[in-house]
Amino acid sequence: MTQEYAKLIIDGKTYEFPIIVGTEGERAIDISTLRKETGLITFDPGYANTGSCKSSITFMDGEKGILRYRGYPIEQLAEHSTFVETAYLLINGELPTRKQLNRFSVLLNDHSMVHEDMRHFFQSFPRRAHPMGILSSMVNALRAFYPEIPERSEEEEINVTVTRLLSKVRTMAAMSYKISRGHMVVYPRHDLSYAANFLNMMFHSPVRPYVIDDDLVDALNVFWILHADHEQNCSTAAVRLVGSARVNLYAAISAGICALWGPLHGGANQAVIEMLLQIQENGGDVRPFIERAKDKNDPFRLMGFGHRVYKTYDPRAKIMQKICYKVLKKLKRHDPLLDIARKLEEVALKDPYFIDHNLYPNVDFYSGIVLRALGIPLNMFTVMFAIGRLPGWISQWKESMEDPQWKLHRPRQIYIGVGEREYIPIDKREE
Ligand code: CMC
């Protein structure tokens, strides 16, 4: 194929920049030599038009509502895969053979325990501390407990760190919940799968043993698969940016957890339920909330609606909605918040404001209802997202470390502050 170029004319001089094309036909202007050639930089607040890397991990088409991990459609993975298998796929690039999957599961089991000394940390946090703050601190602290071993090759070190993180973050999440309630910590069990182990560590107690239900385990697997990666979202971009300074993986993941915490990102799953509860408390009428979301003078937004990339229905939200019904049916339970969510969706999708702005439910809109049904407390919702997103963060970090074109992430700016001026001694400054 002949190389295409984009032409840029500045002060009458023409510059040419190559157009690069992805495997699915997306096109980008490669401006990596722009400043060197022209002295100019680009200005793109929020990076809405900026491709920060080439990646082979996840493909999404926001106009068509497509999401694929390593080429596999999210619908197929949600139907047939498990979270552990999907994590393997994301991190290693291919679905595992039975032998590879067994080996990966053994490694996850081997690394599932958390150093006993780390429990003191957990116990020192105030009871009301948000679990996302605790998780990001604890993940960073892992590095102190599990430093690099010089005798190991770099590849071995990465494999151990990866499985350690995948396994321990799940254990630490359950541990933080137990400690926050003043309950006895439940240890991981080698005979349980990744998701079943998590539910057991969360809900087992010496006085009321937890009965594992395969359908609920399946629902949790799907929940995590749907969150496993989403190309260059805010938290993944944070992991790549922090990782570009060549910090250790724990520090980079800890940064990702902090970014995910925000209500415009992973924190939205908690915010959606808070919004639905507020609608319920106000009598269940969704219309005043829709009106508020449309009002430019009101900072309120419909949580769980809208997405930077999807300009159609988020494919993950479609699957999540089905899982809501499945789980509630299995538990023979009715959640009035699901009725409110359905009504909100119905009214919003007919409203010209939401139609014109291409605002549709995103993954967070229905995920909280699944988590509530599983018994997960509200303040742990974003932690559940974080466990799910871990394989994505890890695979994106790994890809960035292996990228021969990798550079320290260091954007530029357009300075709009005051020009140079003389320092004024304090006694000469105007009060
Ligand atoms: N409710 C009402 N109006 C909205 C909403 C919403 N949820 N989302 C966007 N808009 C409007 C916004 O007011 C703006 O209107 P106008 O052009 O008239 O000024 C327009 O749509 C574009 O908004 P934006 O903030 O420039 O778009 P963005 O691409 O930066 O925002 C978003 C993406 C996800 C931050 C935003 O849609 C939002 O705040 N949604 C609610 C929070 C949420 O559900 N977040 C989870 C995202 S999906 C999971 C994840 O990736 O973490």
Side-chain angles (χ1 to χ4, degrees):
M1 217 167 74
T2 50
Q3 175 67 56
E4 275 188 280
Y5 291 89
K7 286 187 181 161
L8 184 64
I9 304 167
I10 304 168
D11 297 333
K13 191 169 170 200
T14 303
Y15 301 88
E16 287 196 337
F17 297 97
I19 292 182
I20 53 173
V21 186
T23 42
E24 297 291 337
E26 334 93 284
R27 292 163 13 122
I29 305 168
D30 178 353
I31 51 134
S32 49
T33 59
L34 179 73
R35 189 167 181 280
K36 205 163 119 203
E37 286 188 39
T38 67
L40 271 69
I41 59 169
T42 56
F43 181 62
D44 185 20
Y47 310 127
N49 306 284
T50 297
S52 62
C53 60
K54 289 181 188 163
S55 178
S56 316
I57 302 170
T58 289
F59 171 72
M60 58 190 288
D61 182 326
E63 269 68 40
K64 295 191 186 133
I66 294 173
L67 174 62
R68 296 184 206 131
Y69 300 159
R70 301 282 188 186
Y72 296 103
I74 190 67
E75 293 79 8
Q76 291 184 22
L77 292 168
E79 174 133 19
H80 303 295
S81 189
T82 61
F83 177 60
V84 168
E85 186 186 67
T86 298
Y88 185 99
L89 168 73
L90 283 167
I91 295 165
N92 298 294
E94 294 296 337
L95 284 169
T97 61
R98 201 177 291 278
K99 200 169 152 204
Q100 287 167 329
L101 187 59
N102 284 344
R103 171 89 193 112
F104 192 49
S105 303
V106 168
L107 275 176
L108 288 175
N109 266 336
D110 284 351
H111 292 287
S112 58
M113 297 275 282
V114 171
H115 199 296
E116 284 294 311
D117 288 351
M118 288 193 91
R119 279 174 65 167
H120 301 306
F121 281 9
F122 278 113
Q123 267 139 356
S124 314
F125 282 102
R127 281 280 152 87
R128 292 173 65 86
H130 196 285
M132 283 298 274
I134 300 178
L135 190 67
S136 66
S137 317
M138 296 304 281
V139 166
N140 213 353
L142 277 173
R143 166 70 175 190
F145 285 88
Y146 304 97
E148 263 172 37
I149 299 178
E151 299 83 60
R152 278 200 196 122
S153 71
E154 200 181 328
E155 198 187 332
E156 266 180 307
E157 189 60 48
I158 288 179
N159 284 342
V160 172
T161 309
V162 162
T163 38
R164 195 181 271 150
L165 259 170
L166 284 171
S167 202
K168 289 193 194 326
V169 163
R170 170 203 53 172
T171 307
M172 292 193 310
M175 232 170 134
S176 66
Y177 169 66
K178 284 292 195 191
I179 291 172
S180 75
R181 303 211 54 190
H183 289 178
M184 195 192 86
V185 165
V186 178
Y187 286 92
R189 275 172 39 188
H190 280 202
D191 59 321
L192 294 180
S193 69
Y194 187 95
N197 231 327
F198 176 76
L199 290 173
N200 191 59
M201 285 191 278
M202 285 286 289
F203 302 122
H204 177 81
S205 102
V207 289
R208 187 141 51 109
Y210 183 68
V211 181
I212 289 162
D213 179 319
D214 288 342
D215 290 327
L216 300 189
V217 170
D218 286 352
L220 181 55
N221 267 298
V222 176
F223 174 92
W224 277 334
I225 289 170
L226 296 181
H227 287 86
D229 194 44
H230 217 223
E231 51 120 299
Q232 305 315 313
N233 58 87
C234 176
S235 56
T236 302
V239 169
R240 281 189 178 251
L241 185 138
V242 172
S244 80
R246 293 287 188 254
V247 297
N248 63 79
L249 177 57
Y250 302 114
I253 299 291
S254 172
I257 294 171
C258 290
L260 188 75
W261 193 355
L264 295 190
H265 191 11
N269 60 9
Q270 179 175 338
V272 169
I273 294 295
E274 285 162 352
M275 175 185 76
L276 295 175
L277 286 168
Q278 217 189 333
I279 298 175
Q280 190 185 35
E281 275 166 26
N282 281 275
D285 185 2
V286 299
R287 277 162 227 274
F289 289 82
I290 302 248
E291 289 313 310
R292 280 189 65 196
K294 288 156 50 175
D295 182 356
K296 285 279 155 251
N297 299 316
D298 189 331
F300 175 79
R301 283 185 166 198
L302 266 201
M303 299 314 284
F305 256 76
H307 197 274
R308 174 64 62 81
V309 181
Y310 292 123
K311 298 303 162 205
T312 182
Y313 214 104
D314 181 336
R316 303 167 301 172
K318 277 189 197 154
I319 303 170
M320 201 66 90
Q321 195 200 86
K322 285 191 198 142
I323 299 298
C324 283
Y325 284 107
K326 244 180 163 170
V327 170
L328 290 170
K329 191 172 166 206
K330 168 74 200 201
L331 294 170
K332 297 193 179 63
R333 209 181 285 164
H334 170 249
D335 187 344
L337 295 196
L338 180 56
D339 301 335
I340 295 174
R342 290 307 307 265
K343 188 75 198 157
L344 196 59
E345 178 186 334
E346 189 194 315
V347 177
L349 293 187
K350 283 190 197 136
D351 189 294
Y353 173 91
F354 289 86
I355 296 168
D356 294 348
H357 285 77
N358 297 316
L359 298 170
Y360 293 85
N362 59 49
V363 68
D364 294 316
F365 193 64
Y366 287 108
S367 68
I369 295 172
V370 173
L371 294 178
R372 257 161 74 92
L374 293 177
I376 309 289
L378 190 56
N379 69 353
M380 287 282 289
F381 280 16
T382 313
V383 168
M384 299 300 289
F385 190 151
I387 301 173
R389 186 53 56 86
L390 252 186
W393 288 332
I394 293 170
S395 52
Q396 300 267 353
W397 173 86
K398 199 163 164 260
E399 186 178 67
S400 73
M401 291 296 123
E402 291 160 4
D403 184 349
Q405 289 183 325
W406 198 245
K407 280 187 129 151
L408 175 75
H409 282 209
R410 204 303 186 186
R412 289 189 175 252
Q413 62 164 24
I414 299 294
Y415 176 70
I416 55 164
V418 289
E420 185 181 351
R421 49 183 167 168
E422 286 283 318
Y423 177 80
I424 307 164
I426 197 160
D427 53 351
K428 298 233 167 96
R429 288 175 214 159
E430 276 179 33
E431 285 296 338

